[in-house]
């Protein structure tokens, strides 16, 4: 027998109480949508309908923005930083207390493995609120001028890959700085944002400070284009980011955009190979590769190419794909049929353009949306799989001979979100970090996040930073 | 013959020191009478000796490695926990501060509020301090050069004599949040809120030895702490005589302790950063850049 058999170890979903339908969270309570139709959110692992969710139309969005404005003018804006801090600490603690439930809900709605939602997403969500809670009463020390002021109402649109974590990245700094928010979660993953609305109620957060409007692109567009918002924060595709940047032209709205990426993960011949292989796997297969900063272009120095590829393939053969709620699972479900179609299409293009495709033997469930971990070799810089964001568990491998060539290839992309460097030599790490045009450079690690650490991109990966005191600055007038 | 009565006789508490996470009596066997502000007997408190101070320094030194190595995030969580647990004892603290400082309950309560809020304020500093006082330095050469603050070590705090809880919090929280460990000598006449704070520490995930609380006379114990070679910094806040303060500062010079001189303080004012940065060392790291 060449491999262990794993007994299934499913996390119980009994801890989560999913309602059959949800309204919009406006002005502190759940209300029916007035001008949109309900839509369904499904579990991508089984295609089971989890709940029916309201679609907010322009009138609903208007109501939410007005509620946020009232809360900003009357309550949240004038409130002492000390008290805003206390509300955020309450929220952080409630998230810690309900984290098991939220992790299960996230895995159900998104398809990500429970091991990740439990050990990565939820701890980071709580930590984010904890970190920014501490800033709420210290704004004058944040380096954004002596008398920093909030902007007003923030319109926030977030993606489906880290639903609750992206919510935390948006809401925590906005509230700490004294803004109120209207947030739209992605249409395929609205449930943890709605659970967060309940947490706002449990924390006795004043009505209107946080408003959650569910819906798809149309709702998001109505929100960011609303005249009553002072700030737009968006995380998602570069195409949508571009259209937002266009639509706010000529207004006074401040904008931050966190968009796509095509990160180079660069392996030098002196890198510790086993550790590097783990980093490559984490870089591209973490969260099914639904990560804007995923290390989707592997650049390997020619002298170690054979060894790295052999070990990488061996390691990929041990990855377990399947039930997101099983604690043994490494790779969960692709978030939607639409995304699966996109991954399949680009992978086909990869083959058609002449790259060689390989996946380990791997049984996929028959229900739901699945894609095996995949690596393409013989990829050239001109191939679409080396240029476009696939946003799935698909790795493209290229080679290089000199550090200068590695830099040249790594920077040969319209994106600039992140990069990875693997080498034993500290001076080379720092030299590479200097040369790389990317907002985050990980050395001998990958996909690390911390609320104190700014994150965001160069070039077409967007502008502005989230996390750290720089993330706070995005919500302050100074 | 026992008589039946509605009035229950209360159980009085023995007030002890807080050293290394335990509550010992003074090794000297001494105690002293603590009266309220009107001169009415409140309790006997342990009167810490030179030996107790030395034991406390040993405990603080032992705790330093672990506490300073914790992540800033974790220290922040622990300090916030102190605030949570204090909130649950709000009434007790208010009564003790009222008795100690001769205030009505209505006047004592805002002081307790402020003390709890101050723990929350400092809790938030744990993971921001390096971002505000550290730096990346653009040196003129191919070097990555950055400066990070680190805790200085064991800090002796001669706590204010007047403000029994808020003043104590205001000197203790900024010392320990950055990873220092502390030996506190409380207000001599108003030690009881400090002892209760020790009980809060003991039940708030603060590792034993991080904060050690000695009740007794700063005038008596201060010189032993000021001249102790394993103490790295000293706050002379609770020393009221200028001559004594000068002597302690001179004694502290022997191992170049960082000294905070006594000054007029308004504990209700926003504290600023000076007490935080007082007990920090700045470390600058150089590393070459090149292929």
């Amino acid at each position: 027998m060449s491999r262990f058999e794993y007994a299934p170890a499913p996390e119980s979903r009994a801890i989560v109480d999913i309602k059959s339908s949800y309204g919009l969270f406006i002005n502190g309570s759940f209300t029916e949508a007035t001008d949109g139709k309900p839509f369904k959110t499904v579990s991508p692992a089984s295609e089971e309908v989890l709940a029916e969710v309201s679609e907010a139309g322009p009138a609903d969005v208007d109501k939410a923005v007005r509620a946020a404005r009232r809360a900003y003018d009357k309550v949240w804006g004038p409130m002492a930083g000390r008290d805003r801090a206390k509300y955020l600490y309450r929220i952080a603690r409630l998230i810690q207390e309900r984290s098991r439930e939220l992790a299960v809900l996230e895995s159900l709605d998104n398809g990500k493995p429970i091991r990740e939602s439990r050990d990565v997403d939820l701890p980071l969500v709580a930590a984010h609120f904890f970190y920014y809670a501490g800033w709420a009463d210290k704004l004058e020390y944040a380096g954004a001028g002596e008398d920093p002021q909030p902007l007003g109402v923030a319109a926030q649109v977030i993606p489906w890959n880290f639903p609750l974590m992206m919510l935390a990245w948006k809401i925590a700094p906005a509230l700490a700085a004294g803004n109120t928010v209207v947030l739209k979660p992605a249409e395929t993953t609205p449930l943890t944002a709605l659970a967060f609305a309940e947490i706002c109620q449990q924390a006795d957060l004043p009505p209107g400070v946080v408003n959650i409007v569910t819906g798809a692109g149309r709702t998001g567009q109505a929100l960011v284009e609303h005249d009553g918002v002072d700030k737009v924060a968006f995380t998602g595709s570069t195409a949508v980011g571009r259209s937002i940047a266009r639509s706010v032209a000529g207004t006074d709205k401040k904008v931050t955009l966190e968009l796509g990426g095509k990160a180079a993960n660069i392996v030098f011949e002196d890198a510790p190979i086993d550790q590097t292989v783990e980093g490559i796997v984490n870089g591209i297969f973490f969260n099914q590769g639904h990560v804007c900063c995923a290390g989707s272009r592997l650049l390997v120095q020619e002298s170690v190419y054979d060894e790295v590829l052999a070990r990488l393939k061996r390691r990929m053969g041990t990855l377990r794909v399947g039930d997101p709620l099983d604690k043994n699972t490494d790779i969960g479900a692709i978030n939607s049929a639409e995304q699966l179609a996109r991954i399949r299409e680009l992978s086909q293009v990869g083959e058609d353009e002449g790259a060689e495709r390989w996946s380990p033997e791997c049984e996929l469930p028959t229900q739901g949306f699945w894609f095996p971990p995949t690596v393409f070799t013989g990829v050239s810089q001109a191939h679409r799989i080396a240029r476009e964001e696939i946003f799935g568990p698909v790795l493209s491998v290229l080679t290089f001979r000199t550090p200068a060539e590695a830099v040249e290839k790594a920077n040969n992309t319209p994106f600039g979100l992140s990069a990875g460097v693997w080498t034993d030599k500290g001076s080379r790490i720092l030299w590479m970090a200097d040369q790389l045009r990317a907002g985050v450079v990980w050395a001998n690690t990958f996909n690390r996040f911390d609320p104190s650490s700014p994150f965001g991109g160069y070039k077409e990966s967007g502008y502005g930073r989230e996390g750290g005191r720089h993330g706070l600055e995005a919500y302050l007038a100074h | 013959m026992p008589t039946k009565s509605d009035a229950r006789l209360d159980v009085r508490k023995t007030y002890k020191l807080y050293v290394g996470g335990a509550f010992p009596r003074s090794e000297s066997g001494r105690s002293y009478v603590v009266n309220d502000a009107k001169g009415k007997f409140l309790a006997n408190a342990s009167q810490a000796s030179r030996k107790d101070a030395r034991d406390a320094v040993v405990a603080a030194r032992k705790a330093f490695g672990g506490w300073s190595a914790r992540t800033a995030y974790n220290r922040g969580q622990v300090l916030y926990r102190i605030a949570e647990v204090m909130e649950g004892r709000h009434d007790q603290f208010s009564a003790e501060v009222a008795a100690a400082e001769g205030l009505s309950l209505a006047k004592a309560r805002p002081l307790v509020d402020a003390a709890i809020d101050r723990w929350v304020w400092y809790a938030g500093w744990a993971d921001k301090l390096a971002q505000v006082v550290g730096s990346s330095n653009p040196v003129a050469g191919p070097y990555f050069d950055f400066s990070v603050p680190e805790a200085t070590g064991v800090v002796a705090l001669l706590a204010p004599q007047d403000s029994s809880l808020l003043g104590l919090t205001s000197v203790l929280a900024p010392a320990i949040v950055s990873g220092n460990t502390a030996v506190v000598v409380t207000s001599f006449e108003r030690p009881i809120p400090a002892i209760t704070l020790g009980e809060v520490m003991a039940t708030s995930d603060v590792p034993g030895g991080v904060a050690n609380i000695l009740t007794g006379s700063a005038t008596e114990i201060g010189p032993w702490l000021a001249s102790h070679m394993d103490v790295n910094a000293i706050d002379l806040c609770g020393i009221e005589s200028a001559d004594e303060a000068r002597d302690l500062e001179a004694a502290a010079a022997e191992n170049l302790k960082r000294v905070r001189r006594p000054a007029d303080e308004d504990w209700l004012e926003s504290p600023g950063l000076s007490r935080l940065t007082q007990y920090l060392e700045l470390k600058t790291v150089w590393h070459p850049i090149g292929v």
Side-chain angles (χ1 to χ4, degrees):
Chain A
M1 207 168 84
S2 62
R3 55 195 291 179
F4 284 109
E5 290 302 323
Y6 285 81
E11 178 75 49
S12 167
R13 60 181 283 180
I15 192 171
V16 186
D17 179 23
I18 303 177
K19 296 186 181 69
S20 58
S21 70
Y22 290 87
L24 309 170
F25 185 67
I26 295 175
N27 205 34
S29 52
F30 285 94
T31 53
E32 292 300 312
T34 53
D35 63 344
K37 292 190 198 107
F39 61 100
K40 292 177 171 56
T41 182
V42 304
S43 160
S46 63
E47 299 175 60
E48 164 204 0
V49 173
L50 294 172
E52 207 169 70
V53 181
S54 305
E55 185 194 10
D60 299 308
V61 167
D62 183 59
K63 215 167 100 187
V65 171
R66 283 171 195 278
R69 174 65 56 193
R70 273 195 310 277
Y72 174 73
D73 288 341
K74 300 224 157 69
V75 187
W76 199 251
M79 187 183 286
R82 184 191 61 207
D83 293 336
R84 287 202 311 274
K86 283 184 182 163
Y87 280 113
L88 288 167
Y89 279 120
R90 279 187 192 175
I91 290 171
R93 287 302 211 207
L94 284 162
I95 288 167
Q96 288 177 323
E97 287 157 14
R98 294 180 61 175
S99 73
R100 187 167 162 209
E101 170 200 347
L102 292 166
V104 172
L105 186 60
E106 195 77 304
S107 280
L108 276 173
D109 203 19
N110 167 280
K112 66 173 66 199
I114 186 72
R115 196 165 52 84
E116 290 176 8
S117 52
R118 181 195 62 195
D119 296 346
V120 181
D121 295 53
L122 262 297
L124 278 170
V125 169
H128 239 83
F129 278 99
F130 210 89
Y131 176 79
Y132 280 109
W135 270 122
D137 54 6
K138 303 178 182 64
L139 296 179
E140 65 274 29
Y141 295 103
E146 283 175 17
D147 187 23
Q149 296 296 321
L151 300 171
V153 175
Q156 306 181 317
V157 177
I158 58 170
W160 44 260
N161 57 343
F162 295 93
L164 198 56
M165 195 160 106
M166 292 297 103
L167 174 149
W169 285 26
K170 295 281 180 289
I171 291 184
L175 262 48
N179 305 275
T180 56
V181 307
V182 181
L183 176 131
K184 189 196 85 68
E187 66 269 31
T188 60
T189 55
L191 295 184
T192 45
L194 295 165
F196 179 80
E198 285 173 19
I199 286 175
C200 293
Q201 290 177 326
Q202 290 180 325
D204 291 327
L205 191 71
V209 173
V210 168
N211 304 275
I212 311 272
V213 292
T214 44
R218 199 173 71 99
T219 307
Q221 190 180 358
L223 177 56
V224 301
E225 292 182 0
H226 195 289
D227 286 341
V229 310
D230 304 291
K231 154 86 187 178
V232 175
F234 171 76
T235 296
S237 73
T238 292
V240 175
R242 204 173 266 128
S243 75
I244 290 175
R246 243 181 240 123
S247 76
V248 298
T251 69
D252 292 329
K253 293 174 190 175
K254 279 188 83 168
V255 185
T256 44
L257 301 169
E258 204 270 89
L259 310 175
K262 193 73 191 175
N265 202 2
I266 304 161
V267 179
F268 285 94
E269 60 189 1
D270 64 340
I273 297 290
D274 286 334
Q275 190 187 326
T276 304
V277 167
E278 286 307 305
I280 296 167
V281 166
N282 173 259
I284 186 61
F285 301 123
F286 173 62
N287 204 40
Q288 297 75 244
H290 301 328
V291 185
C292 46
C293 53
S296 53
R297 281 186 302 152
L298 180 65
L299 301 186
V300 188
Q301 198 155 23
E302 266 184 21
S303 49
V304 289
Y305 174 82
D306 290 339
E307 190 187 357
V308 169
L309 257 288
R311 292 209 207 184
L312 174 62
K313 286 179 174 176
R314 196 175 67 195
R315 177 68 179 90
M316 283 169 68
T318 67
L319 293 171
R320 300 183 62 81
V321 185
D323 181 6
L325 285 187
D326 191 323
K327 294 163 198 158
N328 296 318
T329 295
D330 297 304
I331 299 181
I334 300 302
N335 182 253
S336 65
E338 190 191 358
Q339 185 58 27
L340 180 58
R342 161 126 183 115
I343 298 168
R344 283 182 175 155
E345 183 201 327
L346 271 169
S347 298
Q348 188 56 50
V349 168
E351 279 190 66
D352 295 346
E353 290 188 339
E356 190 184 327
R357 175 177 180 164
W358 182 88
S359 289
E361 263 183 55
C362 153
E363 267 180 49
L364 299 178
T366 49
Q367 285 287 304
F369 316 127
W370 305 93
F371 199 86
T374 298
V375 59
F376 276 98
T377 50
V379 178
S380 88
Q381 294 192 78
H383 285 165
R384 277 180 68 194
I385 54 167
R387 308 204 63 76
E388 295 181 28
E389 189 175 37
I390 301 173
F391 223 63
V394 181
L395 179 66
S396 300
V397 187
L398 297 88
T399 59
F400 68 92
R401 290 183 181 174
T402 64
E405 187 189 350
V407 167
E408 191 68 34
K409 285 183 168 166
N411 286 341
N412 182 5
T413 166
F415 298 112
L417 189 52
S418 68
V421 179
W422 298 85
T423 167
D424 247 6
K425 203 171 166 196
S427 58
R428 180 184 284 153
I429 288 171
L430 295 169
W431 185 84
M432 289 296 291
D434 267 3
Q435 308 297 312
L436 292 166
R437 302 289 292 165
V440 182
V441 178
W442 285 294
N444 295 332
T445 186
F446 209 93
N447 277 339
R448 293 281 155 209
F449 306 97
D450 190 277
S452 68
S453 179
F455 179 94
Y458 284 33
K459 300 194 279 184
E460 292 179 29
S461 291
Y463 35 72
R465 293 294 178 270
E466 295 183 297
R469 46 188 195 84
H470 302 83
L472 199 59
E473 196 187 332
Y475 289 93
L476 290 170
H478 54 90
Chain B
M1 282 287 287
T3 55
K4 203 175 166 189
S5 163
D6 287 341
R8 176 177 170 275
L9 197 62
D10 55 349
V11 177
R12 288 190 177 165
K13 188 159 88 184
T14 309
Y15 291 89
K16 299 195 275 187
L17 310 176
Y18 178 54
V19 176
F23 295 93
R25 290 194 168 83
S26 169
E27 132 326 304
S28 66
R30 297 180 306 172
S31 65
Y32 68 103
V33 171
V34 176
N35 293 325
D36 70 11
K38 293 181 187 127
K40 184 168 162 278
F41 174 80
L42 280 176
N44 289 309
S46 286
Q47 189 169 0
S49 65
R50 174 179 68 173
K51 176 72 164 66
D52 295 319
R54 289 175 173 167
D55 288 348
V57 172
V58 169
R61 177 59 61 193
K62 195 173 159 197
F64 177 70
W67 180 241
S68 58
R70 292 213 182 188
T71 64
Y73 177 50
N74 183 260
R75 282 199 304 273
Q77 297 252 310
V78 171
L79 258 68
Y80 185 74
R81 182 78 182 148
I82 294 172
E84 287 182 336
V85 176
M86 285 179 80
E87 190 86 34
R89 294 210 195 196
H90 200 295
D91 288 348
Q92 180 189 358
F93 274 117
S94 297
E96 288 173 356
V97 168
E101 300 181 23
L103 303 170
S104 66
L105 264 182
K107 289 220 164 108
R109 277 203 190 94
L111 297 176
V112 177
D113 291 343
I116 296 171
D117 289 356
R118 191 138 301 167
W119 281 106
V120 173
W121 194 74
Y122 278 115
W125 271 116
D127 55 9
K128 295 167 190 69
L129 202 49
Q131 302 194 294
V132 170
V133 306
S135 63
S136 164
N137 312 310
V139 293
Y143 295 92
F144 179 51
D145 178 296
F146 62 97
S147 302
V148 283
E150 286 183 357
T152 199
V154 173
V155 180
L157 303 164
L158 309 179
Q161 298 298 332
D162 51 355
S163 182
S164 58
L165 180 67
L166 179 58
L168 171 71
T169 291
S170 303
V171 300
L172 176 57
I176 64 174
V177 66
S178 58
N180 296 288
T181 54
V183 175
V184 185
V185 182
T186 69
S187 165
F188 182 75
E189 290 179 2
R190 302 170 175 126
I192 289 178
I195 301 168
T196 303
L197 183 64
E199 293 171 6
V200 166
M201 298 260 173
T203 52
S204 304
D205 301 332
V206 181
V210 168
N212 304 277
I213 298 176
L214 305 174
T215 48
S217 160
T219 297
E220 181 199 345
I221 306 169
W224 302 111
L225 289 169
S227 61
H228 197 301
M229 295 302 278
D230 204 25
V231 171
N232 302 96
I234 188 164
D235 182 344
L236 303 178
C237 188
I239 298 296
E240 287 169 332
S241 138
D243 288 347
E244 266 182 58
R246 188 198 54 229
D247 290 348
L248 290 179
E249 186 174 342
E254 185 61 24
N255 68 339
L256 298 169
K257 285 181 188 65
R258 286 80 177 114
V259 177
R260 188 167 179 105
R261 294 176 177 142
D264 283 339
E265 308 263 10
D266 178 352
W267 301 113
L268 284 165
E269 290 247 311
S270 174
L273 292 190
S274 70
R275 281 184 188 273
L276 270 170
T277 52
Q278 180 96 39
Y279 311 118
L280 294 176
E281 305 298 328
L282 198 67
K283 177 182 285 173
T284 298
V285 182
W286 292 67
H287 193 295
I289 296 174
V291 286

